[in-house]
Amino acid sequence: MATEKPVTPTEEQLKILEHNFCKVNKHPDPTTLCLIAAETGLSEEQTLKWFKQRLAEWRKSEGLPSESGSVRD
């Protein structure tokens, strides 16, 4: 069984991913994730992994726990 090699997105792919993360949705639904993957040429798994890693970075920069979940008052 072959394992998928990690892929480093190109500059153009990163622009698309960052735009969607910052301007569209930090938590894309499966349909949106599929569209982003198609636009970037990455697999859905690679796209989802990128979003998870980017969300963890964002949460850390905001001083939030790296775990998923919402903060409610």
Side-chain angles (χ1 to χ4, degrees), residues 20-62:
N20 281 283
F21 183 83
C22 294
K23 305 281 188 210
V24 180
N25 193 343
K26 290 176 178 41
H27 304 278
D29 59 61
T31 303
T32 304
L33 192 69
C34 181
L35 293 171
I36 296 168
E39 187 177 0
T40 60
L42 298 171
S43 71
E44 288 181 52
E45 293 78 18
Q46 292 165 326
T47 305
L48 179 59
K49 185 175 181 179
W50 184 89
F51 267 88
K52 285 182 176 182
Q53 290 173 337
R54 182 63 179 87
L55 183 61
E57 287 174 19
W58 176 81
R59 291 179 68 80
K60 186 177 179 182
S61 74
E62 295 292 312

Side-chain angles (χ1 to χ4, degrees), residues 27 55 58-59 64-73:
H27 304 278
L55 183 61
W58 176 81
R59 291 179 68 80
L64 299 169
S66 60
E67 306 295 312
S68 329
S70 60
V71 178
R72 298 180 190 235
D73 293 333

